[in-house]
Amino acid sequence: MTEHDHHEPADTSSRRAYYFTGGFLTNARVRRILELSGYELKLGKPGADDDILVWGHSPYAKRGEAMAASTGAQIVRVEDAFLRSLHPGRDGEPPMGLTIDRRGAYFDASKPSDLEHLLATHALDNTSLLDRAREAIDRMKAGHLTKYSAVDPSIEPPAPGYVLVIDQTRGDASIRLGGATQNTFREMLVFAREENPGARIVIKTHPETAGGHRDGHYGQADCDDLTELCTDPISPWVLMEGAVAVYTVTSQLGFEAILAGHKPRVFGQPFYAGWALTDDRNPVDRRTRKLTRAQLVAGALLLYPTWYDPYRDRLCGLEDVLGALEAQSRAWRADRNGYSALGMRAWKRGPFQKVFGQSGTPLRFIDKAERAIASEKPIMVWASKDCSKLRQICEDAGRALIRVEDGFLRSRGLGADLIPPLSLVTDDLGIYYDPTRESRLEQMIVAAAERPAKRLFRAERLIRALIATGLSKYNVGAKPEIPNLAGREVVLVPGQVEDDASIRLGAGKIATNLDLLRQARMLHPDAFLIFKPHPDIEAGLRQGTVPEDELAILADMVAHHSDPIALIAIADRVVTMTSLLGFEALLRGVPVTATGAPFYAGWGLTEDLGPVPARRQARPNIASLAHAVLIEYPRYFDPVTGLACPVEVAVERLATGDIPAPAIQLRWLAKLQGWFAGHAWLWR
C-alpha cells in the first residue's frame, strides 16, 4: 500500500465466503479484490459462521439471501466503487475498486449501510485525512474524473445559465431502494421547470443509455424549446460549472455536484443526502449529522471503498486509483480519434502503437506529409523532424501537429541502443527544448507556479522517491571512483550531443562541449572539474567528442560511463548548456549554471548566462517545476501491464528493473547501428 493509504478492510482474515452468482466465478478482477481483502471464495453450502457474497441487490442476489435465511450465514453486499473505470462494466472493463458492505448496500436507504454508519459515527476530524480528501477533490476536478472517466473535457457545454437534470437507467436498484420510482423522474422535471421559470433545462443522459445498453427515463419526447438532451461524453465537471441548479434522484453525479460546489435538489435518498449538503425533497430522518464536503469525501472515497492497483496487483489507497485514472483517461482523450504518424523510424513503430494506439484507433504510419494531411487525423511527428514547412502545411489544412519526444524518465538503457521508452512527451504548441517558441510545458510551469503548497504534496513525494532510488533519464553508468578532493569545490560539467536539436535551438553562443569546458574552467578556475561525456557519444553513436589533449588541460577528471546521479551527489555546482542533468541536479538541491536556455532556466531557479525567453516571468519552486515537468507533461507507459500509467509506477519499474527486455531484433539493430557509426570513414 502507499504511504497515504489508511484504508483497512473489515476484519476478514481468511473468511470463507460462499457465492451463488456466476459473476463471482468469472470476473477475475472482482475475485482478485475479494481475495486480497481476505475472503476465501467457495462454492457449496455455508455454515452459520460463514459469509455469503451477493452483488448489491441484483436479481441474482435473491439466491444468496435465501441461503443466508436458511443457514444464518452473514450477507456481504458487493458493488462497484464510486470511481469505477474508464468505461462502463457492460463494455467489459474491470473495476478499480469495490464496496464490500456487511450492513447493507450503500444505495439502500431502508437501513444503514457500512457507509452510512461511518458517515454518522466516524470522527472525520483527522487533519491528514481531510487534506487527502481536499486533494482528491482537486485531482478529480482537474483530471475530469468521475464514475466512468471516458469523458471529453474539450466538448463544448451548453451556454452557461441552465438547470441540470440528471437521468439514470431504468430499473436501477438504487432508484427503488433510494425511495424513488419512475414517476419521481417525471416529478423532478416538473419541479425543475416550475422552480426555474423560463430557464433552459439540460437533461444529462446516463453513459449506459448513450452507449445503447439500457434505457433511461427521458427522451426526445421530453424536449421542448427550453429543454434539451445532452448525450455526448461531456465531462460532468464542465457541465456542473455552467449549471445554476442541479436536480437528481439518486445518481452519483449528485455526489459529484456537491464536490463541484452545488447544493443539489435531491428527490431520492442516495448515500450523500441527509448530511446538510443537499436540498432533500425526500429526507432520511435518521441522518441528522452535518458534514463538510471534505468529510463526505473522506468517508465515501477514502475510508469506505476497497481500492485496487492494477499495476502492482494489490490493494491500495485512493491516490493510486486517481493516478491510474488520470493516466488512462488522458490517453483515451488524446488518442481516441487516432493519429497519422509521419516519418517514424521502423523500430519506433511498435512501441508507438502500444502507447498511442490502445484507445481504439490504431496509428497510421505515413511517410509523406500530403498523404498524412489527407487522412484528416492529427499529425504526429518526432519533434526533431518538425519544420516551418510542415507547420505551414498543417496550419493551412487546419490539422493539429503533435510533436513527440522522449520523456525525462525514459528507460534503463539508451534510446540510441533502441531501448523503448517508458515515457514520451507530446506537445501541440512547440517542444520543451526549443526556447524560440512557447511550448505546452512552459504553460504548465506557469500554471504550476500558482499551485498552493498543499497541492504540491505529490510532487514532493515524487522528488523524495527519485532521490531515494537514484533514478535519471537513462539509468546507465557505474558508480565512479572519486579521488581525494582535499576540500576543493566540485563542478560537474555534463557533455551533450552537439548536433542534438536542444543544442541547435537552445544552446546559444556556447554550443560545443569544448567551449562549455572552457567556460566552466573560466568561471571556476580553482575547482575540481569533472567532465561527464554523454553516453550516446561514449557508445560511438553521436558526435561531440572533446580532444584528449584539451580534456587533460581543462578537466581534473573524466567520468567515463558513470552514473550521473552519483556525480551530482558529490557536486557543489553543475555547469551545463541545456542538459537534463541540470534539472536532475536542481531536484537534488545542487546549484546550476546554464549557459543556454534549457526548459528549467529563466524561472529564477538557475544562474542564467545565456539569453532566456522574456516570457518566462513565473517563479515556481522546485516542487512546482517537478509537478509540471514530471507529472503533467509526459505520458508514462507500463511495459508490464501494457497500460498508460502514472509516474509513480514508471519510477518503480525503473528502480526495480521490472521491465521486459527489448526484442532481440532491436538489440541486433542497435549493434549494427553502432558498427556503422564507428566505421563512418568507409563512406565519408
Side-chain angles (χ1 to χ4, degrees):
M1 297 214 183
T2 63
E3 64 181 276
H4 14 251
D5 179 39
H6 308 296
H7 169 77
E8 294 180 8
D11 179 19
T12 56
S13 44
S14 203
R15 290 187 64 91
R16 287 196 305 270
Y18 290 80
Y19 60 93
F20 303 90
T21 305
F24 288 111
L25 180 66
T26 58
N27 191 313
R29 172 69 60 80
V30 169
R31 283 184 73 88
R32 184 61 181 147
I33 296 173
L34 289 166
E35 286 165 357
L36 289 168
S37 300
Y39 288 97
E40 184 187 349
L41 273 65
K42 309 281 270 182
L43 289 168
K45 186 173 181 181
D49 294 332
D50 295 325
D51 290 339
I52 293 177
L53 299 174
V54 297
W55 191 262
H57 279 275
S58 72
Y60 303 109
K62 292 187 173 13
R63 301 172 189 165
E65 290 163 356
M67 184 60 74
S70 66
T71 60
Q74 164 79 46
I75 284 281
V76 179
R77 297 194 189 272
V78 181
E79 266 286 348
D80 291 327
F82 301 124
L83 289 168
R84 186 195 184 280
S85 50
L86 267 190
H87 304 284
R90 283 180 168 77
D91 288 337
E93 191 158 345
M96 295 289 293
L98 298 173
T99 65
I100 305 170
D101 202 308
R102 303 180 69 79
R103 283 187 173 86
Y106 68 82
F107 53 80
D108 179 4
S110 67
K111 60 181 179 179
S113 63
D114 283 348
L115 175 56
E116 183 179 326
H117 180 75
L118 189 158
L119 292 173
T121 63
H122 194 290
L124 297 174
D125 61 355
N126 179 282
T127 302
S128 171
L129 181 71
L130 297 177
D131 281 346
R132 290 176 63 211
R134 293 184 193 98
E135 185 183 10
I137 296 171
D138 287 341
R139 288 178 70 175
M140 287 173 67
K141 185 174 184 178
H144 296 273
L145 303 182
T146 178
K147 184 170 186 177
Y148 308 117
S149 292
V151 296
D152 186 349
S154 69
I155 294 174
E156 281 291 316
Y162 49 82
V163 171
L164 182 62
V165 174
I166 300 168
D167 196 7
Q168 293 173 246
T169 54
R170 282 179 184 264
D172 192 81
S174 77
I175 298 168
R176 175 173 51 86
L177 295 168
T181 66
Q182 286 190 32
N183 287 334
T184 310
F185 286 85
R186 302 271 142 244
E187 180 187 331
M188 177 169 67
L189 186 55
V190 169
F191 270 96
R193 286 170 171 157
E194 286 181 354
E195 293 172 355
N196 303 275
R200 287 176 294 121
I201 309 277
V202 173
I203 298 173
K204 178 64 184 84
T205 304
H206 192 279
E208 289 188 352
T209 304
H213 296 299
R214 298 164 79 185
D215 290 337
H217 296 86
Y218 303 116
Q220 282 302 329
D222 298 290
C223 295
D224 55 30
D225 291 346
L226 288 173
T227 309
E228 63 179 287
L229 290 181
C230 177
T231 59
D232 295 331
I234 190 170
S235 164
W237 296 92
V238 172
L239 264 184
M240 301 296 179
E241 206 169 299
V244 293
V246 177
Y247 286 71
T248 182
V249 177
T250 61
S251 169
Q252 189 187 308
L253 281 190
F255 171 58
E256 289 163 14
I258 295 170
L259 308 195
H262 285 279
K263 186 170 186 176
R265 280 78 157 167
V266 180
F267 285 74
Q269 298 174 327
F271 71 88
Y272 52 83
W275 312 109
L277 294 165
T278 48
D279 175 357
D280 297 327
R281 305 301 172 86
N282 184 11
V284 183
D285 293 337
R286 64 178 179 271
R287 297 181 192 169
T288 56
R289 187 181 185 187
K290 290 186 176 181
L291 297 178
T292 64
R293 277 188 294 160
Q295 287 175 317
L296 179 64
V297 168
L301 294 182
L302 287 166
L303 298 175
Y304 177 57
T306 301
W307 297 112
Y308 175 76
D309 180 342
Y311 308 103
R312 304 173 182 93
D313 184 34
R314 67 186 187 194
L315 299 186
C316 66
L318 174 65
E319 288 81 359
D320 288 329
V321 171
L322 292 173
L325 287 174
E326 283 164 347
Q328 292 172 27
S329 60
R330 177 183 176 183
W332 179 85
R333 290 163 194 166
D335 305 341
R336 67 191 181 107
N337 295 318
Y339 302 96
S340 292
L342 184 61
M344 294 291 175
R345 290 183 180 176
W347 80 270
K348 287 180 177 170
R349 295 185 177 190
F352 266 50
Q353 194 68 266
K354 284 181 181 174
V355 174
F356 298 112
Q358 62 173 272
S359 292
T361 307
L363 264 69
R364 293 185 61 197
F365 295 101
I366 297 174
D367 291 326
K368 292 272 191 294
E370 294 73 19
R371 285 187 57 219
I373 290 293
S375 74
E376 298 192 353
K377 295 187 181 301
I379 309 299
M380 179 175 280
V381 66
W382 194 252
S384 59
K385 301 282 182 69
D386 179 20
C387 63
S388 56
K389 181 183 176 185
L390 179 59
R391 289 197 291 274
Q392 191 62 55
I393 290 172
C394 290
E395 191 177 322
D396 292 344
R399 200 77 72 247
L401 179 60
I402 312 294
R403 299 152 194 86
V404 189
E405 182 56 78
D406 285 335
F408 309 114
L409 293 166
R410 186 193 184 281
S411 50
R412 291 184 75 87
L414 305 178
D417 282 339
L418 310 191
I419 305 291
L422 270 72
S423 71
L424 291 161
V425 304
T426 58
D427 203 311
D428 59 331
L429 293 180
I431 192 67
Y432 70 86
Y433 57 70
D434 180 2
T436 65
R437 292 181 295 142
E438 187 179 40
S439 67
R440 185 60 66 183
L441 176 58
E442 279 191 19
Q443 290 192 352
M444 290 174 173
I445 292 172
V446 171
E450 299 297 317
R451 280 180 166 256
K454 285 187 174 179
R455 293 189 60 197
L456 293 170
F457 290 157
R458 185 181 179 196
E460 290 165 355
R461 288 192 295 265
L462 177 59
I463 292 170
R464 290 198 296 272
L466 292 175
I467 292 170
T469 53
L471 291 180
S472 63
K473 182 172 184 177
Y474 296 114
N475 303 291
V476 294
K479 294 284 183 280
E481 291 284 332
I482 306 296
N484 183 6
L485 302 172
R488 291 169 69 187
E489 178 191 27
V490 177
V491 174
L492 175 59
V493 181
Q496 291 182 248
V497 176
E498 292 178 355
D499 61 350
D500 194 71
S502 74
I503 297 294
R504 286 189 289 104
L505 295 164
K509 290 180 182 175
I510 295 174
T512 67
N513 291 320
L514 178 55
D515 284 347
L516 177 66
L517 276 166
R518 286 172 175 159
Q519 177 75 14
R521 179 52 77 198
M522 187 182 79
L523 292 170
H524 303 277
D526 301 321
F528 187 88
L529 201 151
I530 301 175
F531 178 67
K532 185 200 176 306
H534 192 282
D536 280 353
I537 296 167
E538 290 182 306
L541 298 168
R542 305 286 292 275
Q543 71 183 50
T545 306
V546 179
E548 289 294 331
D549 56 337
E550 297 278 8
L551 271 179
I553 297 167
L554 294 166
D556 294 282
M557 172 182 168
V558 180
H560 286 295
H561 305 288
S562 292
D563 175 6
I565 304 304
L567 294 171
I568 290 171
I570 60 162
D572 296 302
R573 177 169 289 274
V574 169
V575 178
T576 180
M577 291 183 281
T578 63
S579 172
L580 181 66
L581 192 144
F583 172 68
E584 293 167 338
L586 287 178
L587 293 182
R588 292 160 175 83
V590 177
V592 174
T593 300
T595 64
F599 66 86
Y600 51 84
W603 307 106
L605 298 169
T606 50
E607 180 188 11
D608 299 322
L609 302 185
V612 292
R615 63 181 177 271
R616 295 185 184 175
Q617 295 294 312
R619 289 295 174 260
N621 59 26
I622 296 296
S624 310
L625 184 70
H627 193 281
V629 173
L630 295 174
I631 295 175
E632 281 191 279
Y633 189 50
R635 291 177 48 172
Y636 297 91
F637 173 77
D638 178 22
V640 177
T641 61
L643 297 170
C645 71
V647 59
E648 291 84 358
V649 172
V651 165
E652 198 168 298
R653 299 288 189 233
L654 290 169
T656 60
D658 186 9
I659 300 169
I664 192 164
Q665 307 95 294
L666 288 189
R667 295 205 297 275
W668 278 106
L669 186 57
K671 286 187 186 346
L672 190 61
Q673 182 172 288
W675 185 89
F676 276 122
H679 292 75
W681 54 270
L682 289 172
W683 63 85
R684 282 186 183 160

PDB file of all heavy atoms in Angstrom, residues 200-215:
ATOM      1  N   ARG A 200     -33.436  27.511 -19.220  1.00  0.00           N
ATOM      2  CA  ARG A 200     -33.130  26.361 -20.087  1.00  0.00           C
ATOM      3  C   ARG A 200     -32.852  25.138 -19.208  1.00  0.00           C
ATOM      4  O   ARG A 200     -32.225  25.250 -18.160  1.00  0.00           O
ATOM      5  CB  ARG A 200     -31.905  26.650 -20.955  1.00  0.00           C
ATOM      6  CG  ARG A 200     -32.193  27.650 -22.077  1.00  0.00           C
ATOM      7  CD  ARG A 200     -30.931  27.989 -22.858  1.00  0.00           C
ATOM      8  NE  ARG A 200     -29.979  28.693 -22.018  1.00  0.00           N
ATOM      9  CZ  ARG A 200     -28.746  28.268 -21.757  1.00  0.00           C
ATOM     10  NH1 ARG A 200     -28.308  27.126 -22.262  1.00  0.00           N
ATOM     11  NH2 ARG A 200     -27.938  28.975 -20.992  1.00  0.00           N
ATOM     12  N   ILE A 201     -33.345  23.999 -19.654  1.00  0.00           N
ATOM     13  CA  ILE A 201     -33.141  22.733 -18.934  1.00  0.00           C
ATOM     14  C   ILE A 201     -32.241  21.844 -19.787  1.00  0.00           C
ATOM     15  O   ILE A 201     -32.509  21.624 -20.970  1.00  0.00           O
ATOM     16  CB  ILE A 201     -34.479  21.989 -18.690  1.00  0.00           C
ATOM     17  CG1 ILE A 201     -35.518  22.910 -18.045  1.00  0.00           C
ATOM     18  CG2 ILE A 201     -34.248  20.719 -17.894  1.00  0.00           C
ATOM     19  CD1 ILE A 201     -35.429  23.062 -16.570  1.00  0.00           C
ATOM     20  N   VAL A 202     -31.176  21.320 -19.199  1.00  0.00           N
ATOM     21  CA  VAL A 202     -30.308  20.352 -19.871  1.00  0.00           C
ATOM     22  C   VAL A 202     -30.441  19.032 -19.127  1.00  0.00           C
ATOM     23  O   VAL A 202     -30.174  18.953 -17.921  1.00  0.00           O
ATOM     24  CB  VAL A 202     -28.834  20.814 -19.876  1.00  0.00           C
ATOM     25  CG1 VAL A 202     -27.929  19.709 -20.423  1.00  0.00           C
ATOM     26  CG2 VAL A 202     -28.675  22.085 -20.709  1.00  0.00           C
ATOM     27  N   ILE A 203     -30.902  17.989 -19.834  1.00  0.00           N
ATOM     28  CA  ILE A 203     -31.044  16.649 -19.242  1.00  0.00           C
ATOM     29  C   ILE A 203     -29.808  15.834 -19.617  1.00  0.00           C
ATOM     30  O   ILE A 203     -29.535  15.614 -20.798  1.00  0.00           O
ATOM     31  CB  ILE A 203     -32.311  15.943 -19.755  1.00  0.00           C
ATOM     32  CG1 ILE A 203     -33.568  16.730 -19.345  1.00  0.00           C
ATOM     33  CG2 ILE A 203     -32.370  14.510 -19.223  1.00  0.00           C
ATOM     34  CD1 ILE A 203     -34.853  16.181 -19.952  1.00  0.00           C
ATOM     35  N   LYS A 204     -29.034  15.410 -18.613  1.00  0.00           N
ATOM     36  CA  LYS A 204     -27.833  14.614 -18.879  1.00  0.00           C
ATOM     37  C   LYS A 204     -28.196  13.143 -18.920  1.00  0.00           C
ATOM     38  O   LYS A 204     -28.658  12.565 -17.936  1.00  0.00           O
ATOM     39  CB  LYS A 204     -26.778  14.855 -17.791  1.00  0.00           C
ATOM     40  CG  LYS A 204     -25.496  14.025 -17.977  1.00  0.00           C
ATOM     41  CD  LYS A 204     -24.766  14.413 -19.254  1.00  0.00           C
ATOM     42  CE  LYS A 204     -23.541  13.548 -19.505  1.00  0.00           C
ATOM     43  NZ  LYS A 204     -23.854  12.277 -20.179  1.00  0.00           N
ATOM     44  N   THR A 205     -27.990  12.550 -20.085  1.00  0.00           N
ATOM     45  CA  THR A 205     -28.275  11.125 -20.291  1.00  0.00           C
ATOM     46  C   THR A 205     -27.190  10.268 -19.629  1.00  0.00           C
ATOM     47  O   THR A 205     -26.017  10.643 -19.607  1.00  0.00           O
ATOM     48  CB  THR A 205     -28.310  10.831 -21.806  1.00  0.00           C
ATOM     49  OG1 THR A 205     -29.273  11.687 -22.405  1.00  0.00           O
ATOM     50  CG2 THR A 205     -28.663   9.394 -22.092  1.00  0.00           C
ATOM     51  N   HIS A 206     -27.564   9.103 -19.084  1.00  0.00           N
ATOM     52  CA  HIS A 206     -26.602   8.185 -18.466  1.00  0.00           C
ATOM     53  C   HIS A 206     -25.697   7.583 -19.547  1.00  0.00           C
ATOM     54  O   HIS A 206     -26.159   7.278 -20.646  1.00  0.00           O
ATOM     55  CB  HIS A 206     -27.365   7.076 -17.728  1.00  0.00           C
ATOM     56  CG  HIS A 206     -26.493   6.248 -16.832  1.00  0.00           C
ATOM     57  ND1 HIS A 206     -25.711   5.226 -17.300  1.00  0.00           N
ATOM     58  CD2 HIS A 206     -26.278   6.299 -15.485  1.00  0.00           C
ATOM     59  CE1 HIS A 206     -25.059   4.675 -16.283  1.00  0.00           C
ATOM     60  NE2 HIS A 206     -25.382   5.313 -15.170  1.00  0.00           N
ATOM     61  N   PRO A 207     -24.388   7.368 -19.259  1.00  0.00           N
ATOM     62  CA  PRO A 207     -23.479   6.789 -20.265  1.00  0.00           C
ATOM     63  C   PRO A 207     -23.950   5.440 -20.814  1.00  0.00           C
ATOM     64  O   PRO A 207     -23.733   5.142 -21.991  1.00  0.00           O
ATOM     65  CB  PRO A 207     -22.153   6.629 -19.499  1.00  0.00           C
ATOM     66  CG  PRO A 207     -22.233   7.591 -18.375  1.00  0.00           C
ATOM     67  CD  PRO A 207     -23.680   7.730 -18.023  1.00  0.00           C
ATOM     68  N   GLU A 208     -24.594   4.608 -19.961  1.00  0.00           N
ATOM     69  CA  GLU A 208     -25.050   3.303 -20.454  1.00  0.00           C
ATOM     70  C   GLU A 208     -26.233   3.462 -21.400  1.00  0.00           C
ATOM     71  O   GLU A 208     -26.440   2.635 -22.300  1.00  0.00           O
ATOM     72  CB  GLU A 208     -25.410   2.388 -19.278  1.00  0.00           C
ATOM     73  CG  GLU A 208     -24.185   1.931 -18.503  1.00  0.00           C
ATOM     74  CD  GLU A 208     -24.511   0.878 -17.460  1.00  0.00           C
ATOM     75  OE1 GLU A 208     -25.712   0.612 -17.224  1.00  0.00           O
ATOM     76  OE2 GLU A 208     -23.567   0.314 -16.889  1.00  0.00           O
ATOM     77  N   THR A 209     -27.020   4.524 -21.223  1.00  0.00           N
ATOM     78  CA  THR A 209     -28.104   4.808 -22.170  1.00  0.00           C
ATOM     79  C   THR A 209     -27.519   5.308 -23.478  1.00  0.00           C
ATOM     80  O   THR A 209     -27.900   4.860 -24.569  1.00  0.00           O
ATOM     81  CB  THR A 209     -29.063   5.866 -21.583  1.00  0.00           C
ATOM     82  OG1 THR A 209     -29.543   5.391 -20.318  1.00  0.00           O
ATOM     83  CG2 THR A 209     -30.238   6.110 -22.507  1.00  0.00           C
ATOM     84  N   ALA A 210     -26.562   6.240 -23.365  1.00  0.00           N
ATOM     85  CA  ALA A 210     -25.910   6.771 -24.571  1.00  0.00           C
ATOM     86  C   ALA A 210     -25.184   5.664 -25.326  1.00  0.00           C
ATOM     87  O   ALA A 210     -25.111   5.684 -26.562  1.00  0.00           O
ATOM     88  CB  ALA A 210     -24.933   7.876 -24.186  1.00  0.00           C
ATOM     89  N   GLY A 211     -24.659   4.669 -24.589  1.00  0.00           N
ATOM     90  CA  GLY A 211     -23.947   3.559 -25.227  1.00  0.00           C
ATOM     91  C   GLY A 211     -24.859   2.459 -25.741  1.00  0.00           C
ATOM     92  O   GLY A 211     -24.386   1.442 -26.256  1.00  0.00           O
ATOM     93  N   GLY A 212     -26.177   2.635 -25.585  1.00  0.00           N
ATOM     94  CA  GLY A 212     -27.134   1.661 -26.110  1.00  0.00           C
ATOM     95  C   GLY A 212     -27.338   0.444 -25.237  1.00  0.00           C
ATOM     96  O   GLY A 212     -27.916  -0.551 -25.686  1.00  0.00           O
ATOM     97  N   HIS A 213     -26.884   0.481 -23.971  1.00  0.00           N
ATOM     98  CA  HIS A 213     -27.000  -0.692 -23.105  1.00  0.00           C
ATOM     99  C   HIS A 213     -28.345  -0.757 -22.372  1.00  0.00           C
ATOM    100  O   HIS A 213     -28.931  -1.824 -22.234  1.00  0.00           O
ATOM    101  CB  HIS A 213     -25.866  -0.701 -22.075  1.00  0.00           C
ATOM    102  CG  HIS A 213     -24.501  -0.829 -22.675  1.00  0.00           C
ATOM    103  ND1 HIS A 213     -24.115  -1.915 -23.424  1.00  0.00           N
ATOM    104  CD2 HIS A 213     -23.423   0.008 -22.637  1.00  0.00           C
ATOM    105  CE1 HIS A 213     -22.864  -1.762 -23.822  1.00  0.00           C
ATOM    106  NE2 HIS A 213     -22.420  -0.601 -23.358  1.00  0.00           N
ATOM    107  N   ARG A 214     -28.815   0.374 -21.837  1.00  0.00           N
ATOM    108  CA  ARG A 214     -30.050   0.383 -21.038  1.00  0.00           C
ATOM    109  C   ARG A 214     -30.810   1.685 -21.298  1.00  0.00           C
ATOM    110  O   ARG A 214     -30.204   2.733 -21.545  1.00  0.00           O
ATOM    111  CB  ARG A 214     -29.716   0.291 -19.546  1.00  0.00           C
ATOM    112  CG  ARG A 214     -28.993  -0.988 -19.163  1.00  0.00           C
ATOM    113  CD  ARG A 214     -28.335  -0.868 -17.788  1.00  0.00           C
ATOM    114  NE  ARG A 214     -29.283  -1.026 -16.693  1.00  0.00           N
ATOM    115  CZ  ARG A 214     -28.959  -0.871 -15.413  1.00  0.00           C
ATOM    116  NH1 ARG A 214     -27.728  -0.531 -15.073  1.00  0.00           N
ATOM    117  NH2 ARG A 214     -29.865  -1.039 -14.470  1.00  0.00           N
ATOM    118  N   ASP A 215     -32.130   1.591 -21.202  1.00  0.00           N
ATOM    119  CA  ASP A 215     -32.972   2.778 -21.400  1.00  0.00           C
ATOM    120  C   ASP A 215     -32.869   3.714 -20.205  1.00  0.00           C
ATOM    121  O   ASP A 215     -32.665   3.287 -19.066  1.00  0.00           O
ATOM    122  CB  ASP A 215     -34.443   2.370 -21.580  1.00  0.00           C
ATOM    123  CG  ASP A 215     -34.682   1.670 -22.904  1.00  0.00           C
ATOM    124  OD1 ASP A 215     -33.872   1.875 -23.827  1.00  0.00           O
ATOM    125  OD2 ASP A 215     -35.671   0.912 -23.003  1.00  0.00           O
TER     126      ASP A 215
END
